[in-house]
Amino acid sequence: MIERINFWGLHGAWHTLAVVVTYAALPLCALVLLVRLYLRIRLWWQVGRPEPRWDHINMRVQRLLKYAIAQVKVWRQAYPGLMHFGLAWGFFVFFLGTALATIDADIVKFLRGPLYLGYKLLLDVFTVIFLVGFVLAGYRRFVQRPERLTLTSPFALALGLIFLIVFTGLATESLRLASVALQPELQPGWRPALGWITPAGWLLAQLWLALGLTVPALTQIHLATWLVHAGLVAIFLVTLPTSALVHVITSPLNVFFSQLDRPDGRLAPAFQRDGLAGVATLRDFTWKQLMDADACTECGRCQDVCPAHASGQPLSPKKVILGIKNALTTCRAVLRGRNGNGQGEWPPFTGAVVEDAAAWACTTCRACVAECPVLIEHVDAIVDLRRCLLAQQRADGQLTTSLSNLRRYGNSFGKSDKQRAKWTTGLDFKLKDIRKQPAKLLWFVGDYASYSPALTEITQATARVFQRAGLDVGLLYDAERNAGNDLRRVGEEGLFELLGQKNLAALEKCQFEQIVTTDPHSYNTLKNEYAWNGQSVPVYHYAETLDQALRGGQLSPLRKLDTVATYHDPCYLGRYNGVYDAPRRVLAALGCRLVEMPRHRDRALCCGAGGGRIWMEEKNVKERPSENRVREAAQLAGVQVFVVACPKDLTMFRDAVKTAGLEGRLVVRDLIELVDEATRPLEPAPAVNAGAGAP
Amino acid sequence: MDIVVLCKFVPDLVEDLEIDASTHLLDRNFLRLMPNELDDHALEEALLLKERHGGTVTVVTVDAGDVDEALYTAAAKGADRVVKIVGEGLDQGLSSQRLAALFAQAAGEWPHDLILTGTQAVDDLDGFAGALVAARLGMPYVGYVTKVASENGAVVARKEYPGGLNADIEIVGQAVLGIQSAEKPPRYVVTSKVMAAMKSVTIEEFEAGDAQADLELPITGMAVPQSAAHAEMIVGSVTEVAEKLAKLLRERGLVA
């Protein structure tokens, strides 16, 4: 029966050399790898702050299988997905093959007969898969050259190295096959029909045979190729810790230690050192944030989906992460200084490695995090930078004006709290004051829906729809304050806490069962970031409340809306909280035909207003994200209505439709307007939109 | 350079203002007070001078009620001392005369090479307060200042005149400067630092003495201004408008 021959074709002194290489030199290289790797990764905890990431081990293992082994996020894009699958799984299988060969050679002989042939087939098939990945990678790196990639020689060299390792492996096999084909007794049990078990090797063997090489020549070349193969593996092992390929170790680690202790919508509290919040120098990052940097594969997907980057702002999430990585590489000098005389000076990170304008450009939309194949947490790091910038008074004037307003009045509009519920005066019924009367639902209206004159009618429509659905709703009236979601994300942790305490103090005195919000931003922070004294208070966005009401029959459409619409997922409803289906079900219930934009659900493009961007100056914008977005929608045949579910979206996209010259092509409407239209009882007079304060 | 910054509180115009019929003054029951915006600029300019030339910054305000947070904010921004003038009836609204008397009395108690204050306030559009303080202290006063520089011991204040004129005025000895705007927008200090200041900073109190206004004008009555005549709108094509305008100007003897 055919079986695997250990060190085939290596005889005498060469055999001894092969044994030395395999059992001494390569393990030594592996040891060098481990030591070099340790010297790098120990910086994570030598420099970084502690952060507990050992909880939920089961879920961590699941994530490891899902994101590091199955690589589901790599597959979010077909071309790079296939490319990476070829290269990565090729290597997984070769690694497994080598391990099995070692077991077969040194522990228990089992690679014989069909098992051996199956083993060879598997390795050969994955050689082909690897080569497909290699060709795709080469084409991408040298022909397509997308902007997001790091097109430098270390990456090209790494690609070349793994190709040569695989190719010399294939060549070694083919040379053995060619020798055995000429002289079958060199591998007992071999017959020509078995050649096709290893099709790639067999095809290459045909080349050697066609060249007329003799058995001694073939075995000589086989020997040389084997040695080159082993040498390349040695180089791979020794250089790995500083190579572009180190992500084969750091990325799975990063996946394993990814965030599980808090919901996606909850930021970690601001860290303070010497009275300064956030990240001023490299050592203010946590060890996990430093690991993020070393786990980065520089694939650039984050940059590709970043609305700030696309609009010409100086932000690339990739560059932020690589900035951390470079700072980590150069920080050894600081560490030595500290160890030497206790006076190691940490150079500034914020404002130096990452420029101020880059940190401020982030909309915290989380598209980068959603896209990152190795679960890097870009947004948290950027917010940490902002916390420091704000504390160092390096924010633009427009932002600080809004912050002053928020501190003084509890809203960004700089209006009196007494005017917060002024919009209710246009209603022909009175909404409960929940501070005086209990209600089932506490409606947290939010700043924009309350104060923006452009949104008054829509907020009133929301009230009417709630009433029509028979919902028992109450308002906080002038006791409501900005919920603080975006305040927290511009880095104003103290004011976030202060306004949160004020809201909680008001809420604690009220009787209600649930909270419903108009603004997805308020929704996120109330749901994920407020400490409700340990109680759990259900928080819903109105899209969810309406979905429940429509499904439960409390609210019934009186007419079908004959509308072809597309729906824009708000970042803080979709990516942050996974509410994708409720608004779509509402649209379906109204009879709207939904046509999705290419970027929808967790790939939706941000409107550009999030993370406090709506309070900041807009400088040097190439194309506003909101304009890019409405152009995307205008490409969809037949779509007339652009549906949003966030007051800020409404403001942003109505502007964008005008500035992009799409008036007459697209109408931006809030989901609630459509619900109102479909459920409004027929009026005796001709049904025209009477707007606020209808007679 | 040691600087005293005088800050006052003014009615917040985002609220509806009511006039108390009996006193002819703002009804203070529902009044919301806020720091005078230009005093904030004065503080910013003082902090910039301190950053450049060293020295101390002392912020003095009158206890009009709820002033502590503003003082802690000033301390968090970098003021060395924060002082409030306390006494009976100070929260009932003060005329510029009385305010200046209180400030003049208090300011001298803290080291000062310069005294900075906002050149105007919503309740002092004529900008009397700073000048009155200077008069009481016998110091020179420069108002509408947009920049203060100190070179080789000489202080130069840039005063803005109407019509885009600026004058650099060299100041000898102590002076009171009315700041129109600081060189940079007033800084925003994060809330956590204000909170920290609340724990670590002590607000010094200064008893208001018997400082009285030299002159208090009583208000005898109030009336809404009557509009006399409306503006005349000239309509028509550009040529017609130009002709009518030229005719009008000639008729009124404004052009020959």
Side-chain angles (χ1 to χ4, degrees):
Chain A
M1 194 166 36
I2 192 161
E3 62 171 53
R4 182 179 172 278
I5 298 172
N6 210 27
F7 297 127
W8 181 92
L10 304 170
H11 305 291
W14 293 115
H15 183 267
T16 313
L17 177 67
V19 170
V20 170
V21 164
T22 309
Y23 294 98
L26 288 179
L28 192 68
C29 291
L31 190 67
V32 172
L33 159 68
L34 288 177
V35 170
R36 292 191 70 206
L37 194 69
Y38 172 75
L39 291 177
R40 171 73 189 194
I41 69 175
R42 71 172 179 172
L43 291 172
W44 299 342
W45 55 88
Q46 275 184 339
V47 175
R49 294 187 291 116
E51 183 182 16
R53 288 277 170 122
W54 283 105
D55 53 329
H56 304 92
I57 293 293
N58 283 345
M59 285 168 77
R60 293 190 183 285
V61 172
Q62 281 173 32
R63 280 198 174 178
L64 196 67
L65 295 173
K66 185 174 170 188
Y67 297 110
I69 308 298
Q71 303 173 356
V72 293
K73 282 218 181 176
V74 182
W75 278 109
R76 277 169 70 92
Q77 296 174 5
Y79 186 111
L82 182 63
M83 175 197 96
H84 190 268
F85 171 79
L87 299 176
W89 273 81
F91 252 72
F92 282 164
V93 171
F94 303 144
F95 191 76
L96 185 73
T98 309
L100 290 178
T102 310
I103 294 170
D104 178 68
D106 302 319
I107 300 169
V108 50
K109 182 84 202 155
F110 71 101
L111 289 174
R112 54 163 70 100
L115 210 53
Y116 169 67
L117 295 173
Y119 166 83
K120 294 305 284 183
L121 175 65
L122 184 76
L123 289 183
D124 207 71
V125 165
F126 272 92
T127 303
V128 175
I129 291 174
F130 174 89
L131 292 174
V132 169
F134 170 74
V135 170
L136 289 174
Y139 186 74
R140 190 165 171 75
R141 180 156 295 276
F142 299 106
V143 183
Q144 285 187 334
R145 303 176 64 84
E147 187 213 341
R148 75 185 204 194
L149 285 188
T150 309
L151 294 165
T152 55
S153 52
F155 284 86
L157 287 173
L159 184 63
L161 180 64
I162 55 172
F163 167 73
L164 287 176
I165 290 175
V166 174
F167 182 75
T168 49
L170 176 69
T172 310
E173 180 191 61
S174 67
L175 289 158
R176 174 179 58 81
L177 287 170
S179 310
V180 174
L182 292 173
Q183 210 173 318
E185 64 271 24
L186 287 174
Q187 186 164 17
W190 195 83
R191 54 201 150 82
L194 294 179
W196 293 106
I197 286 290
T198 49
W202 188 232
L203 275 174
L204 195 57
Q206 299 314 305
L207 175 70
W208 312 135
L209 292 173
L211 289 173
L213 294 173
T214 60
V215 171
L218 285 168
T219 46
Q220 288 287 325
I221 303 169
H222 173 273
L223 169 69
T225 317
W226 188 91
L227 286 171
V228 170
H229 181 71
L232 290 168
V233 170
I235 292 171
F236 173 81
L237 292 175
V238 171
T239 59
L240 188 68
T242 44
S243 144
L245 297 166
V246 70
H247 79 270
V248 303
I249 296 169
T250 52
S251 298
L253 279 176
N254 204 55
V255 166
F256 183 80
F257 288 111
S258 58
Q259 177 192 308
L260 275 174
D261 59 327
R262 53 194 156 100
D264 292 340
R266 185 189 301 164
L267 284 170
F271 163 74
Q272 295 231 358
R273 189 194 297 276
D274 307 331
L276 200 60
V279 165
T281 68
L282 193 68
R283 66 185 178 141
D284 300 328
F285 284 114
T286 70
W287 67 269
K288 174 58 182 55
Q289 287 174 314
L290 301 180
M291 179 193 263
D292 270 354
D294 275 339
C296 178
T297 66
E298 308 192 29
C299 71
R301 290 171 191 233
C302 53
Q303 179 180 308
D304 242 15
V305 297
C306 175
H309 187 264
S311 66
Q313 298 295 302
L315 171 66
S316 158
K318 173 179 159 180
K319 287 194 184 130
V320 172
I321 299 302
L322 291 182
I324 300 175
K325 184 173 180 166
N326 292 337
L328 197 60
T329 306
T330 53
C331 82
R332 286 199 175 94
V334 182
L335 282 177
R336 259 181 246 120
R338 194 180 62 176
N339 294 342
N341 54 22
Q343 289 292 317
E345 270 288 309
W346 283 91
F349 181 87
T350 305
V353 180
V354 177
E355 60 177 304
D356 294 19
W360 288 121
C362 177
T363 68
T364 69
C365 74
R366 219 165 176 272
C368 49
V369 180
E371 208 60 46
C372 181
V374 300
L375 312 192
I376 289 171
E377 293 147 24
H378 317 66
V379 175
D380 296 38
I382 291 172
V383 171
D384 279 334
L385 300 181
R386 288 174 163 195
R387 284 167 169 164
C388 176
L389 289 174
L390 196 66
Q392 293 178 334
Q393 285 142 11
R394 286 156 65 176
D396 77 46
Q398 205 168 312
L399 173 61
T400 54
T401 303
S402 296
L403 293 179
S404 302
N405 281 335
L406 281 155
R407 189 143 88 202
R408 181 158 175 74
Y409 304 106
N411 66 75
S412 60
F413 286 77
K415 289 191 184 169
S416 166
D417 42 11
K418 296 188 189 79
Q419 289 172 31
R420 184 174 277 274
K422 201 175 155 210
W423 63 268
T424 57
T425 53
L427 295 172
D428 51 12
F429 57 93
K430 178 98 175 79
L431 280 162
K432 274 186 185 175
D433 184 339
I434 205 159
R435 295 169 297 177
K436 296 171 189 150
Q437 274 177 291
K440 189 162 176 283
L441 272 177
L442 185 147
W443 180 11
F444 198 98
V445 187
D447 285 5
Y448 266 77
S450 298
Y451 285 109
S452 172
L455 298 172
T456 303
E457 282 181 31
I458 290 167
T459 311
Q460 287 166 345
T462 314
R464 281 196 297 272
V465 171
F466 283 169
Q467 202 208 25
R468 220 169 279 151
L471 299 174
D472 178 23
V473 178
L475 300 183
L476 279 174
Y477 283 88
D478 46 316
E480 187 186 301
R481 296 285 177 274
N482 183 293
N485 189 71
D486 301 331
L487 262 176
R488 196 166 198 211
R489 279 151 187 87
V490 297
E492 230 306 13
E493 187 79 355
L495 191 51
F496 160 75
E497 285 171 9
L498 193 71
L499 293 184
Q501 284 158 11
K502 286 185 181 172
N503 277 325
L504 282 175
L507 288 163
E508 271 166 14
K509 292 187 200 123
C510 307
Q511 280 184 48
F512 58 92
E513 290 168 27
Q514 301 175 354
I515 292 180
V516 60
T517 77
T518 312
D519 191 329
H521 298 245
S522 319
Y523 170 75
N524 180 66
T525 198
L526 288 170
K527 183 174 179 171
N528 297 314
E529 296 188 313
Y530 271 45
W532 297 98
N533 284 339
Q535 295 168 315
S536 86
V537 176
V539 181
Y540 296 101
H541 181 256
Y542 74 78
E544 295 173 290
T545 306
L546 294 177
D547 176 42
Q548 286 164 13
L550 284 163
R551 288 202 287 171
Q554 297 99 307
L555 189 64
S556 314
L558 300 175
R559 55 192 75 81
K560 288 261 168 205
L561 299 183
D562 188 24
T563 308
V564 184
T566 192
Y567 171 72
H568 168 79
D569 287 284
C571 309
Y572 279 90
L573 198 57
R575 264 190 297 272
Y576 274 92
N577 289 292
V579 179
Y580 298 113
D581 297 324
R584 286 176 170 80
R585 276 196 299 264
V586 170
L587 284 172
L590 304 178
C592 292
R593 191 163 75 79
L594 179 69
V595 181
E596 296 285 6
M597 285 179 270
R599 291 174 286 185
H600 61 278
R601 295 178 75 97
D602 68 344
R603 294 173 200 250
L605 180 74
C606 173
C607 74
R613 284 294 305 163
I614 202 161
W615 300 326
M616 296 177 211
E617 285 169 42
E618 205 179 32
K619 286 183 209 148
N620 312 320
V621 179
K622 209 165 62 188
E623 184 195 25
R624 289 191 187 90
S626 53
E627 289 172 19
N628 184 291
R629 186 62 163 165
V630 291
R631 287 195 180 100
E632 181 180 2
Q635 300 282 314
L636 303 174
V639 168
Q640 311 124 356
V641 181
F642 186 95
V643 182
V644 298
C646 166
K648 292 183 183 95
D649 278 343
L650 205 74
T651 314
M652 297 298 287
F653 289 122
R654 285 199 170 155
D655 279 353
V657 164
K658 284 184 202 137
T659 51
L662 291 168
E663 280 170 301
R665 169 71 188 86
L666 272 186
V667 183
V668 181
R669 302 198 74 185
D670 197 282
L671 185 64
I672 200 79
E673 290 181 278
L674 298 177
V675 177
D676 184 33
E677 197 176 303
T679 59
R680 191 189 304 146
L682 277 179
E683 291 157 31
V688 290
N689 188 353
Chain B
M1 196 187 312
D2 296 321
I3 303 169
V4 168
V5 182
L6 305 175
C7 295
K8 66 184 240 175
F9 279 73
V10 295
D12 189 336
L13 302 183
V14 307
E15 303 292 348
D16 295 331
L17 301 180
E18 302 272 337
I19 291 176
D20 185 331
S22 59
T23 61
H24 299 307
L25 295 172
L26 286 171
D27 185 347
R28 303 195 77 83
N29 286 326
F30 300 102
L31 203 62
R32 180 157 158 166
L33 292 173
M34 65 181 292
N36 176 30
E37 191 187 341
L38 294 193
D39 293 345
D40 227 17
H41 281 263
L43 172 60
E44 181 62 33
E45 194 64 32
L47 293 170
L48 290 173
L49 285 167
K50 180 188 157 185
E51 281 163 14
R52 285 172 201 155
H53 308 293
T56 62
V57 172
T58 306
V59 175
V60 179
T61 193
V62 176
D63 185 11
D66 271 354
V67 302
D68 291 6
E69 195 190 319
L71 288 176
Y72 288 126
T73 305
K77 285 181 177 181
D80 301 273
R81 295 184 206 89
V82 287
V83 182
K84 68 178 171 188
I85 303 172
V86 295
E88 282 290 306
L90 297 182
D91 57 352
Q92 291 308 306
L94 300 169
S95 66
S96 295
Q97 287 274 356
R98 172 110 161 96
L99 183 78
L102 289 166
F103 274 156
Q105 201 177 46
E109 298 293 314
W110 282 272
H112 58 282
D113 299 306
L114 287 177
I115 296 174
L116 266 51
T117 189
T119 199
Q120 282 175 315
V122 286
D123 60 356
D124 180 23
L125 288 176
D126 297 320
F128 283 145
L132 290 169
V133 171
R136 280 183 172 261
L137 293 172
M139 289 185 197
Y141 173 76
V142 184
Y144 302 94
V145 171
T146 56
K147 184 183 177 182
V148 184
S150 171
E151 280 165 41
N152 311 322
V155 174
V156 177
R158 174 160 298 174
K159 179 182 170 102
E160 191 176 289
Y161 286 94
L165 284 177
N166 286 310
D168 285 345
I169 299 172
E170 190 174 324
I171 292 159
V172 181
Q174 297 171 320
V176 180
L177 303 181
I179 303 293
Q180 177 170 279
S181 67
E183 289 162 57
K184 288 200 273 187
R187 62 195 66 190
Y188 178 82
V189 62
V190 288
T191 307
S192 58
K193 283 196 183 171
V194 179
M195 298 293 192
M198 284 182 181
K199 292 193 186 108
S200 63
V201 173
T202 311
I203 295 175
E204 295 175 52
E205 294 194 350
F206 178 83
E207 280 297 330
D210 54 355
Q212 289 305 319
D214 293 334
L215 179 70
E216 290 274 21
L217 291 176
I219 299 166
T220 54
M222 288 186 142
V224 176
Q226 298 289 317
S227 60
H230 291 287
E232 185 189 338
M233 296 304 292
I234 304 174
V235 292
S237 72
V238 176
T239 329
E240 286 163 6
V241 170
E243 277 170 7
K244 284 181 197 167
L245 193 60
K247 190 163 161 262
L248 266 174
L249 291 172
R250 270 196 296 274
E251 276 173 12
R252 309 224 169 150
L254 294 166
V255 290

